[in-house]
Amino acid sequence: AWIRTSFSHSMKNLSFLMRTGGGLVYPRADLGDLSGFAEGAKKPVSMADGKPFFGAKAYKDSKVCNMMTVSELHRRYHESTGIAFSSMYPGCIAETQLFREKRPWFRKAFPWFMKYVTGGYVGMEEAGERLAQVVDDPQCTKSDVYWSWNGGAQQIGRWSEDGKPRGAGGSGGEIFENTQSDAVRDRETAKKMWELSCKAVGLTDKDKPKAAESA
């Protein structure tokens, strides 16, 4: 998802957890040699690496590409336009329609697991507030940053006297500049992904922004 705000001259990208290249849960994001992009990314090609379709991996691969795109936009256009390009990880928003086609037991168990085992759970309202912060907070004007929050992740949840879980979830905490994975920071692959993506959608130099690219 992309948010562009003219009043703050910034462009934000909502990202999955990509600091470690897609998290530690199988499958890991891996763009391979981008042969799928090189082949035009059209049917029957369904994956960036040219391999058979794998839904969970395709989701993670797409987020790596999104974050690479943010970095490429920064390298090519930030200096000449002043626009800030950044990504953010709002936390695990486990109770949306993303899992609507999963089995009922999974839709019930997954939010509980994220709340009380991994601690990565964040509600939709708080996630929205985090997005608004990255868009409008003066401290978030820096470009080419991966924003995250140091909430209560990796803590075991417990019930407090007011009947609410405490010490659970990625909620709360302060915003900070997170570190991208080596995969996302792979300059050569990012540049190749950018060029092949432009070619795949028929974007020519004439169609690109007038601002001079600095890449």
Side-chain angles (χ1 to χ4, degrees), residues 153-168:
Q154 298 180 355
Q155 296 181 15
I156 301 299
R158 59 185 184 279
W159 290 97
S160 64
E161 294 180 356
D162 62 6
K164 297 180 180 180
R166 299 298 181 188

Side-chain angles (χ1 to χ4, degrees), residues 44-64:
V45 176
S46 57
M47 298 291 288
D49 58 8
K51 296 180 180 179
F53 181 73
F54 187 172
K57 183 176 180 297
Y59 174 79
K60 294 184 178 184
D61 286 352
S62 71
K63 295 303 181 180
V64 169

Side-chain angles (χ1 to χ4, degrees), residues 86-101:
S86 60
S87 300
M88 63 170 285
Y89 174 59
C92 181
I93 312 168
E95 293 179 295
T96 68
Q97 292 300 305
L98 178 63
F99 301 109
R100 62 188 177 279
E101 297 183 3

